[in-house]
Amino acid sequence: MQFAKPVKLNDTQIYRWMVILLKRAKEIGDEGEVPVTAVILNEQGHCIGHGRNNRNKRSDPLGHAELVALKQAAWMKNDWRFNECTLIVTLEPCQMCAGALIQARMGKVIYGAKDLKRGGLGGSINLSTHKSAHHKMLIQGGVMGEEAKNQIEEWFAHRRNKTIRL
């Protein structure tokens, strides 16, 4: 099985996108939503879909940033296949989102913080390398990982009115 050939982004481009996503995640966190945001870039590096968690706001169990971005990008592309695309997200996709990304044949996934409890691309389980996966994605984790991890930990600590354990 061959890997997809998504758009090539240099470290500066990836960093710029992650800065934008983390800033937006902070804004939605201030609104009471879990601070996770995502963007999908096409083969030219243009944004064709963006998403933010909206489970609380819309009472939608499928309101994960990755799924919102996928739906928008599919509409923009008029296709459900994303072999040449790259998804950038502030938190490692959960198992549900990782499964959707495999089904959508996403070319590459870049994420910030690893999710050791629910991560579907290596944090808890790696669905992209499972023998049942019909599509292999390129995965790059830990981009601004400390910043992303701190942001989400602080949000949950504030939400639970507890102090952060270091």
Side-chain angles (χ1 to χ4, degrees):
M1 185 168 298
Q2 293 185 351
F3 283 94
K5 298 199 187 301
V7 62
K8 291 189 182 202
L9 300 169
N10 63 43
D11 290 343
T12 301
Q13 291 169 310
I14 294 169
Y15 176 81
R16 284 182 186 154
W17 275 112
M18 192 60 75
V19 167
I20 292 167
L21 291 173
L22 287 170
K23 180 180 178 191
R24 183 68 180 126
K26 165 101 174 68
E27 293 168 1
I28 69 162
D30 292 344
E31 296 171 11
E33 197 66 63
V34 177
V36 178
T37 55
V39 65
I40 296 176
L41 307 176
N42 67 10
E43 61 272 18
Q44 289 85 32
H46 299 130
C47 174
I48 59 169
H50 58 88
R52 56 168 272 179
N53 274 11
N54 60 22
R55 289 189 326 169
N56 295 329
K57 183 178 180 182
R58 296 197 176 162
S59 298
D60 180 3
L62 302 177
H64 290 218
E66 302 92 330
L67 299 182
V68 174
L70 266 176
K71 188 170 186 174
Q72 186 179 83
W75 184 83
M76 291 290 290
K77 276 186 73 169
N78 196 29
D79 193 3
W80 58 270
R81 294 170 195 88
F82 294 90
N83 297 73
E84 73 288 351
C85 295
T86 298
L87 174 120
I88 304 174
V89 62
T90 55
L91 179 66
E92 176 186 353
C94 71
Q95 296 166 25
M96 174 179 68
C97 292
L101 293 167
I102 292 166
Q103 292 296 321
R105 295 180 171 92
M106 185 61 63
K108 184 172 185 175
V109 175
I110 299 169
Y111 66 84
K114 185 175 278 289
D115 186 346
L116 298 175
K117 292 182 182 177
R118 290 172 281 295
L121 296 177
S124 172
I125 187 172
N126 193 340
L127 296 177
S128 72
T129 60
H130 191 272
K131 65 181 179 180
S132 67
H134 65 284
H135 172 74
K136 304 295 183 198
M137 298 181 290
L138 299 171
I139 311 294
Q140 180 180 349
V143 174
M144 295 185 69
E146 281 302 308
E147 293 90 335
K149 177 183 174 214
N150 290 341
Q151 184 182 65
I152 202 153
E153 283 181 351
E154 288 172 12
W155 185 86
F156 276 110
H158 177 72
R159 180 92 171 175
R160 293 182 181 125
N161 206 12
K162 293 181 182 177
T163 58
I164 300 171
R165 291 184 214 141
L166 300 176

